[in-house]
């Protein structure tokens, strides 16, 4: 009995000391005005969870529209945009206040939003109405609605802001929108059920994952030509582009593999076992590490791109899906879609008390069926610096 009591008393103390040792000691150097938040859409709760990444605590739960799915941050101002699939609208969150300050109606069954690098435009593919809504983010209103192919899943804007690439799942095609004229300049047949899109940093090429034909299409955005159809694994669901644009990693959900595409030559350099039902991936800013959520095995795989092998497999919550990295690149945020929480994995230098390079830091409750995440860091204008 005495031993049980000792353990009961000791555990919270040890947990507190570990928390201080591993994380809180880093906070003393932060500017009081600095903010670092992760925003998580909870598809079945009609909410967005706001996680404070300075303390790894749930800061707020924001009510949005029905069945929120896609989410994006504005790089030029402190706003977050949430696509509500069920209510066919976009909620605008003021990141300074963490409150919804506007709602923009779009069309049927939208899923995702992409924001131009200048922060002025948002693009939403409406899968239920075969069109794309163009949003003026300063005026907070729809300024154009453009007809595209059947069942468009995603509209992705190029870095130079000149082209929007739209994957039309129902018509096996890609629509290319000219952002200067607000018109569809071309429609190109690709492979079966095109979905995810990646565009090179120099805006020269786009790659489209086709889940129905186990292929990735390569498009030249300078002359709007199909360059290649590349064979990958079964059900490619997600494309993770290295920040330098040199390689593209494909998550093949039903092959339990990733495929690596050399973007300059349009060649598949290899495919590698990564885990059960890899869902999504994200690459570190230094181009060295790939993190993959294995939906079917409740793990995160860490793949060293330079040496070409998995260097860690870490247990997380049930059915991990969405992923993000903190601005410091020291924390991997994992959305556990079934268990309704966010697992935080810490990357650290191995030490005596923590010999591994990665370890579980904490798990943070979210809403029901968290599905997408975006991170926003900024200096608040509301707090004196």
């Amino acid at each position: 009995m005495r031993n049980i009591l000792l353990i009961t008393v000791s555990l919270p103390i040890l947990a507190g000391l570990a928390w201080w040792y591993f994380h809180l000691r880093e906070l003393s150097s932060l500017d009081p005005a600095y903010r670092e938040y992760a925003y998580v859409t909870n598809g079945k709760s009609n909410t967005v969870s706001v996680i404070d990444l300075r303390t790894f605590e749930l800061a707020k739960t924001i009510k949005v529209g029905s069945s929120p799915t896609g989410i994006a941050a504005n790089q030029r101002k402190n706003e977050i945009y949430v696509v509500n699939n069920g209510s066919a609208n976009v909620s605008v969150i003021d990141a300074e206040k963490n409150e919804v300050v506007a709602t923009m109606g779009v069309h049927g069954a939208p899923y995702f939003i992409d924001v131009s690098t200048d922060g002025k435009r948002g693009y939403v593919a409406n899968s239920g109405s075969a069109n794309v809504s163009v949003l003026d983010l300063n005026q907070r209103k729809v300024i154009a609605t453009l007809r595209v192919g059947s069942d468009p899943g995603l509209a992705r804007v190029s870095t130079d802001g000149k082209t929007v690439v739209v994957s039309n799942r129902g018509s096996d095609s890609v629509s290319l929108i000219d952002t200067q004229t607000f018109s569809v300049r071309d429609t190109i047949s690709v492979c079966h059920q095109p979905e995810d899109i990646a565009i090179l940093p120099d805006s020269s090429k786009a790659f489209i994952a086709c889940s129905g034909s186990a292929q990735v299409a390569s498009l030249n955005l300078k002359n709007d030509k199909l360059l290649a159809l590349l064979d990958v694994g079964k059900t490619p669901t997600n494309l993770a582009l290295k920040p330098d644009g040199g390689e593209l990693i494909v998550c093949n959900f039903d092959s339990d593999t990733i495929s690596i595409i050399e973007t300059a030559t349009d060649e598949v350099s290899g495919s590698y076992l990564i885990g059960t039902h890899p869902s999504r991936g994200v690459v570190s800013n230094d181009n060295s590490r790939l993190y993959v959520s294995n939906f079917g095995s409740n793990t995160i795989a860490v793949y060293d791109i330079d040496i070409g092998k998995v260097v860690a497999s870490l247990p997380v919550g049930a059915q991990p899906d969405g992923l993000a990295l903190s601005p410091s690149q020291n924390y991997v945020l994992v959305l556990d879609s079934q268990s309704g929480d966010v697992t935080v994995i810490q990357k650290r230098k191995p030490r005596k008390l923590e010999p591994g390079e990665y370890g579980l830091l904490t798990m943070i409750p979210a809403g029901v069926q968290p599905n997408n995440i975006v991170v926003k860091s900024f200096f608040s204008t509301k707090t004196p610096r």
Side-chain angles (χ1 to χ4, degrees):
M1 187 68 183
R2 184 180 303 169
N3 289 339
I4 295 173
L5 181 60
L6 181 62
I7 293 170
T8 303
V9 172
S10 299
L11 278 178
I13 296 172
L14 290 172
L17 288 172
W19 179 260
W20 172 83
Y21 180 77
F22 296 142
H23 175 65
L24 287 185
R25 60 188 179 150
E26 302 173 8
L27 297 178
S28 59
S29 61
L30 293 179
D31 190 302
Y34 181 69
R35 303 287 182 268
E36 189 172 298
Y37 295 122
Y39 295 85
V40 177
T41 50
N42 301 305
K44 297 296 185 182
S45 297
N46 302 334
T47 60
V48 168
S49 296
V50 184
I51 297 171
D52 191 328
L53 296 183
R54 300 168 301 169
T55 60
F56 292 101
E57 295 176 333
L58 180 65
K60 195 169 186 180
T61 300
I62 303 172
K63 190 75 174 176
V64 291
S66 175
S67 302
T69 51
I71 191 166
N74 194 315
Q75 296 180 34
R76 300 293 181 174
K77 56 184 177 179
N78 298 332
E79 289 186 348
I80 307 296
Y81 309 102
V82 181
V83 175
N84 304 304
N85 174 262
S87 50
N89 54 25
V90 176
S91 300
V92 181
I93 295 175
D94 183 331
E96 297 268 5
K97 304 175 182 177
N98 280 327
E99 296 176 356
V100 174
V101 292
T103 301
M104 294 175 279
V106 289
H107 284 256
Y111 282 96
F112 302 104
I113 183 171
D114 201 20
V115 177
S116 59
T117 53
D118 63 8
K120 295 179 180 179
R121 299 283 182 266
Y123 299 91
V124 179
N126 304 301
S127 65
S129 51
N131 56 28
V132 170
S133 296
V134 183
L135 311 180
D136 185 316
L137 299 178
N138 292 326
Q139 300 184 55
R140 295 175 179 167
K141 68 177 186 180
V142 176
I143 56 174
T145 302
L146 308 174
R147 189 78 180 174
V148 292
S150 173
D151 195 17
L154 184 64
R156 182 83 72 197
V157 60
S158 59
T159 304
D160 63 13
K162 295 179 179 179
T163 304
V164 176
V165 181
V166 185
S167 54
N168 304 311
R169 293 175 295 181
S171 51
D172 294 346
S173 66
V174 170
S175 296
L176 301 178
I177 294 173
D178 187 314
T179 61
Q180 303 302 308
T181 61
F182 291 143
S183 62
V184 176
R185 71 172 188 240
D186 211 340
T187 300
I188 302 170
S189 295
V190 286
C191 28
H192 188 42
Q193 293 178 349
E195 295 187 15
D196 200 17
I197 301 167
I199 301 176
L200 295 188
D202 65 2
S203 303
S204 63
K205 281 184 183 180
F207 294 86
I208 299 92
C210 294
S211 61
S213 58
Q215 293 174 309
V216 171
S218 171
L219 297 182
N220 186 326
L221 296 182
K222 301 302 181 183
N223 60 16
D224 298 349
K225 300 295 184 183
L226 176 65
L227 296 173
L229 292 176
L230 308 172
D231 294 327
V232 290
K234 294 179 182 178
T235 322
T237 56
N238 179 256
L239 302 176
L241 184 66
K242 287 175 61 178
D244 64 12
E247 291 179 316
L248 179 70
I249 294 93
V250 187
C251 292
N252 304 309
F253 190 83
D254 286 320
S255 290
D256 300 339
T257 62
I258 56 169
S259 297
I260 298 180
I261 293 173
E262 303 295 330
T263 60
T265 58
D266 290 335
E267 295 178 335
V268 178
S269 62
S271 294
Y272 309 92
L273 287 170
I274 199 74
T276 306
H277 294 329
S279 176
R280 299 198 217 183
V282 63
V283 181
S284 60
N285 285 343
D286 64 2
N287 302 289
S288 67
R289 291 288 168 92
L290 167 73
Y291 303 93
V292 177
S293 56
N294 289 312
F295 188 86
S297 54
N298 301 334
T299 59
I300 294 298
V302 183
Y303 181 85
D304 190 307
I305 296 173
D306 296 328
I307 64 176
K309 64 180 289 187
V310 173
V311 294
S313 181
L314 307 162
V316 292
Q319 296 184 350
D321 193 9
L323 289 172
L325 285 165
S326 68
S328 69
Q329 306 287 286
N330 291 330
Y331 302 97
V332 187
L333 312 172
V334 186
L335 304 188
D336 304 314
S337 63
Q338 186 180 66
S339 51
D341 46 45
V342 179
T343 299
V344 182
I345 301 294
Q346 184 182 32
K347 183 177 187 292
R348 66 228 174 174
K349 291 183 179 178
R351 292 179 291 209
K352 189 172 183 179
L353 293 179
E354 42 182 3
E357 188 180 2
Y358 294 92
L360 172 67
L361 180 68
T362 189
M363 297 182 79
I364 305 167
V368 181
Q369 195 178 304
N371 47 38
N372 279 290
I373 182 172
V374 70
V375 172
K376 177 74 175 175
S377 59
F378 59 94
F379 286 95
S380 174
T381 59
K382 310 295 184 185
T383 305
R385 292 186 59 192

